[in-house]
């Protein structure tokens, strides 16, 4: 049909329809729209009162899809965006099945963005049975927030579920007597937890157990068996490094320098000088948490107003200015009482929560920094 102004309109049924007062808008679409498309520019629209296919899907199927999404989420925003989609997905996205399947990447919270809603999110995932959330929230509560009992309970829940990092962290707590007095240390329990984590392939637990067997620390002394565990730790560390480098660079590009001069790296106490693996999100959180509060690895003794100011800044009431961090910068653990961590037996300047952190820091930096204390005294005498 042609109007007085000369415009020509066609209807959906193949005819022509006139719209008075309007001219036809040019379109690059073909003259005849395909079947099923509406005539208004070829854009498909759902008729009022038509079926909503999302509402027709059963809840079990939608929950399965959301669980797969949670398991493959790369950030917490991937889960939050589901709740903003529609009312039904907002309700189903709060199901325990979705929180239980949340990926480690979606639980990697930052210290700078820590807030009460973030803590509730981790708590909801932990209550749903997510072992990674139990471990992360347990470490944050135990070392950062000062909630020793609550943090240890979450770590124990993750350890019962077979979480290797939680087993090793509980072993470190038992070895150091963290959260209690020096007499509360339980070396046998620490060695038993370390053995369970080592059986799951945890590199730090393998190395820690090897040193325990060599020194008779919490277990019966067996140097040969301890050496076997150290070799297993070095081999496991190399395997993980090669697997991580497979998608980034060829194996030949990896620096496979030994930990000892003239010796085989596989048989050394420290293994190869490999690129350091990415630390766990819980360790990154703790390191950033204390760095933002001005806590250093070697804290000098503070008295009077300085100690009170340090305690107020860190949120502690147990002399926060005198407590030290582990010297391995990517560990993030902090003492819960004075002189809890062991010092380097050569220089006495570095302190470590475990032998595993000592081995990692030796390869990273301390090997070039460690100077015997007698040289300090000699240098001080020459200066005078």
């Amino acid at each position: 049909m042609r109007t007085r102004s000369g415009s020509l309109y066609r209807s959906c049924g193949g005819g022509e329809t006139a719209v008075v007062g309007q001219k036809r808008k040019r379109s690059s679409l073909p003259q005849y729209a395909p079947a099923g498309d509406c005539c208004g520019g070829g854009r498909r629209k759902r008729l009022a009162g038509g079926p909503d296919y999302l509402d027709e899907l059963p809840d079990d199927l939608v929950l399965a899809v959301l669980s797969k999404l949670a398991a493959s989420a790369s950030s917490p925003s991937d889960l939050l965006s589901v709740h903003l989609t529609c009312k039904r997905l907002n309700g189903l996205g709060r199901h325990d099945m979705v929180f239980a399947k949340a990926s480690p990447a979606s639980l990697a919270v930052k210290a700078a963005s820590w807030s009460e809603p973030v803590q509730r999110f981790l708590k909801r995932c932990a209550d749903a049975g997510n072992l990674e959330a139990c471990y992360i929230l347990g470490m944050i509560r135990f070392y950062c927030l000062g909630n020793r009992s609550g943090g240890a309970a979450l770590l124990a829940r993750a350890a019962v579920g077979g979480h290797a990092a939680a087993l090793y962290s509980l072993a470190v707590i038992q070895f150091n007597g963290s959260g209690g007095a020096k007499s509360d240390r339980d070396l046998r329990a620490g060695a038993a937890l370390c053995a369970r984590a080592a059986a799951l392939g945890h590199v730090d637990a393998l190395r820690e157990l090897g040193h325990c067997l060599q020194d008779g620390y919490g277990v019966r002394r067996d140097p040969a068996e301890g050496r076997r565990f150290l070799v297993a730790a070095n081999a496991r560390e190399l395997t993980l490094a090669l697997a991580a480098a497979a998608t980034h660079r060829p194996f030949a590009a990896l620096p496979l320098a030994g930990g000892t001069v003239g010796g085989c790296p596989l048989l050394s106490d420290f293994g190869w000088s490999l690129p350091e693996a990415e630390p766990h999100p819980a360790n990154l959180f703790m390191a950033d948490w204390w760095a933002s509060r001005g806590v250093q690895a070697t804290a000098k003794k503070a008295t009077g107003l300085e100690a009170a100011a340090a305690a107020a800044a860190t949120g502690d009431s147990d002399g926060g200015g005198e407590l030290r961090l582990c010297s391995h910068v990517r560990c993030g653990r902090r003492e819960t009482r004075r002189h809890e961590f062991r010092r380097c037996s050569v220089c006495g300047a570095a302190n470590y929560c475990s032998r595993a952190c000592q081995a990692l820091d030796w390869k990273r930096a301390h090997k070039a920094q460690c100077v015997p204390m007698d040289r300090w005294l000699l240098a001080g005498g020459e200066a005078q």
Side-chain angles (χ1 to χ4, degrees):
M1 178 178 178
R2 189 178 299 276
T3 64
R4 291 182 180 180
S5 60
S7 300
L8 181 64
Y9 297 87
R10 70 174 184 273
S11 62
C12 295
E16 297 173 347
T17 304
V19 181
V20 180
Q22 297 182 4
K23 295 185 179 181
R24 184 173 69 92
K25 297 180 181 179
R26 294 186 178 182
S27 175
S28 60
L29 296 174
Q31 182 178 1
Y32 298 100
D37 287 357
C38 66
C39 58
R43 185 174 299 173
R44 189 184 301 270
K45 296 182 180 180
R46 184 172 64 88
L47 298 178
D52 190 345
Y53 297 106
L54 179 60
D55 291 340
E56 293 180 357
L57 293 177
D59 289 347
D60 295 342
L61 181 58
V62 178
L63 281 176
V65 174
L66 293 179
S67 299
K68 290 290 185 179
L69 173 64
S72 60
S74 59
S75 64
S77 61
D78 292 344
L79 294 179
L80 297 178
S81 61
V82 174
H83 298 166
L84 302 177
T85 305
C86 65
K87 184 176 181 180
R88 187 187 183 199
L89 291 184
N90 183 28
L92 294 177
R94 300 176 182 274
H95 198 276
D96 288 344
M97 183 187 301
V98 179
F99 288 108
K101 296 293 184 178
S103 64
S106 65
L107 301 173
V109 297
K110 304 296 183 182
S113 59
W114 180 255
S115 61
E116 188 61 30
V118 174
Q119 184 171 191
R120 288 199 303 266
F121 169 71
L122 290 177
K123 182 66 165 59
R124 181 65 183 274
C125 294
D127 292 340
N130 193 307
L131 299 182
E132 188 72 13
C134 290
Y135 174 68
I136 294 177
L137 185 58
M139 293 289 285
I140 293 174
R141 286 186 173 181
F142 190 90
Y143 286 103
C144 298
L145 303 182
N147 186 359
R148 314 296 184 195
S149 59
L154 288 172
L155 291 175
R157 188 190 306 177
V160 170
H163 196 280
L167 286 166
Y168 176 69
S169 295
L170 286 177
V172 173
I173 291 175
Q174 294 293 335
F175 281 139
N176 297 325
S178 302
K182 186 177 181 179
S183 58
D184 294 330
R185 295 186 302 172
D186 193 340
L187 304 185
R188 286 184 174 274
L193 291 168
C194 212
R196 289 190 59 186
L200 296 175
H202 197 272
V203 176
D204 293 343
L206 285 168
R207 185 167 282 117
E208 190 79 22
L209 186 60
H211 287 295
C212 288
L213 288 168
Q214 283 190 328
D215 302 337
Y217 193 74
V219 292
R220 192 161 134 192
R221 189 171 182 271
D222 191 346
E225 188 69 9
R227 174 58 56 185
R228 187 180 72 82
F229 275 100
L230 290 178
V231 171
N234 295 335
R236 176 69 174 169
E237 184 181 32
L238 178 62
T239 302
L240 295 177
L242 291 176
T247 56
H248 297 86
R249 54 182 179 271
F251 296 163
L254 282 177
L256 299 179
T260 57
V261 178
C264 178
L266 182 63
L267 303 178
S268 69
D269 290 350
F270 306 103
W272 283 270
S273 296
L274 297 169
E276 193 170 354
E278 187 68 20
H280 194 276
N283 297 100
L284 284 177
F285 182 95
M286 294 188 298
D288 295 342
W289 177 274
W290 296 121
S292 63
R293 282 155 177 76
V295 181
Q296 300 178 356
T298 305
K300 59 182 181 180
K301 187 175 181 180
T303 57
L305 296 177
E306 294 181 356
T314 57
D316 292 339
S317 58
D318 50 359
E322 301 178 2
L323 302 181
R324 304 166 298 177
L325 289 175
C326 179
S327 293
H328 181 41
V329 294
R330 291 193 168 189
C331 173
R333 290 182 176 88
R334 183 167 175 258
E335 291 180 327
T336 59
R337 67 174 187 279
R338 291 185 58 191
H339 308 303
E340 177 183 334
F341 294 161
R342 289 169 287 184
R343 292 180 180 271
C344 176
S345 59
V346 177
C347 65
N351 36 260
Y352 302 101
C353 64
S354 61
R355 294 291 294 270
C357 280
Q358 183 180 9
L360 291 174
D361 190 58
W362 176 263
K363 294 185 294 183
R364 185 191 63 84
H366 193 58
K367 182 179 181 179
Q369 300 172 353
C370 188
V371 178
M373 285 186 288
D374 55 354
R375 296 187 185 179
W376 285 9
L377 298 177
L378 182 60
E382 292 178 354
Q384 292 178 357

